[in-house]
Structures are given as C-alpha cells and as structure tokens.
Amino acid sequence: EVQLVESGGGLVQPGGSLRLSCAASGFTFSEHWMYWVRQAQGKGLEWVSAINTIGRTTVYPDSTKGRFTISRDNAKNTVYLQMNSLKPEDTAMYYCAANTRPPQWHGGVGWLPPALSSDGYNYWGQGTQVTVSS
C-alpha cells in the first residue's frame, strides 16, 4: 500500500517557523521528484517547493523562495519542508506529493509543477494543516 504521511503542522505566530515531514512507503521513493503543495480554504492548489530524486536540485515559486527549504533523506524515505518567516497568507493545508516528472520553466511565467491538480501526481498525501495567526 502506497502511503505519504505528513506531520509537523500546527498553529504558529507570524514570523515563526515550522518543519513539516512526509514519510513515504509502498513505492520507490528515490525515483520520484517530491513536491509540497498547499491549498488555502476556498482557493486552488499552489505548489510551494520541489526537489529532485537525489536531493541536489530544488525549485521554488517566488512566493516561497528564500523562506522555505525543501530537503529529503532517501535512506529514511522522507521529505521535509522547513518554513521560516511565516505569514498569515501561508495558512493552508500542506500536502506532499510524488511525481516522476520535474517542474518545467515557462518563459514569462516561471517554474510550474508537472500538474495543477492532485490527480496529476503519482502519489498524494492526506495533508497537514498550517495556521499562521497571532
């Protein structure tokens, strides 16, 4: 059975930090790019980071670049998201997802993930809630 289990979410004050974890099982973790994707209440999916299969290449959209850091440990089948300088607009459900395809650069738009909906990913987690509020 394939599982992606996120943890580490919670309530944090603006300017604070959180570290999310996602434990993977049931598939070949090291053969997939890993993504973190979030969805705020009433809004669409927004990807926040991506990391390649061996953890040497990371990609971020402008909204999280410089504040979020994605990493992975293939020995533990786990991907992480360190979130610093959190803002109220970072409040969302955070999902980790696996895809064999990398993000793509689109001139004039920037980096885009390989899919804009959950069914475009090979595997998708249940999510962990992050709330940034004073």
Side-chain angles (χ1 to χ4, degrees), residues 19-23 29 33-36 49-60 68-74 77-83 96:
R19 188 192 194 207
L20 307 183
S21 299
C22 172
F29 180 75
W33 277 74
M34 295 301 296
Y35 296 80
W36 285 96
S49 61
I51 189 166
N52 75 339
T53 57
I54 59 174
R56 290 187 179 176
T57 298
T58 57
V59 185
Y60 304 89
F68 290 10
T69 303
I70 188 172
S71 61
R72 67 189 294 163
D73 185 339
N74 284 354
N77 284 359
T78 301
V79 61
Y80 306 95
L81 183 68
Q82 177 67 43
M83 305 185 294
C96 71

Side-chain angles (χ1 to χ4, degrees), residues 106-119:
H106 295 263
V109 177
W111 289 102
L112 291 178
L116 298 179
S117 64
S118 59
D119 57 8

Side-chain angles (χ1 to χ4, degrees), residues 15-40:
S17 298
L18 278 177
R19 188 192 194 207
L20 307 183
S21 299
C22 172
S25 61
F27 67 100
T28 307
F29 180 75
S30 61
E31 293 182 356
H32 290 75
W33 277 74
M34 295 301 296
Y35 296 80
W36 285 96
V37 183
R38 68 187 180 188
Q39 186 168 28

Side-chain angles (χ1 to χ4, degrees), residues 45 97-99 101 114-124:
L45 292 176
N99 203 309
R101 294 179 293 159
L116 298 179
S117 64
S118 59
D119 57 8
Y121 289 83
N122 299 102
Y123 308 110
W124 188 268

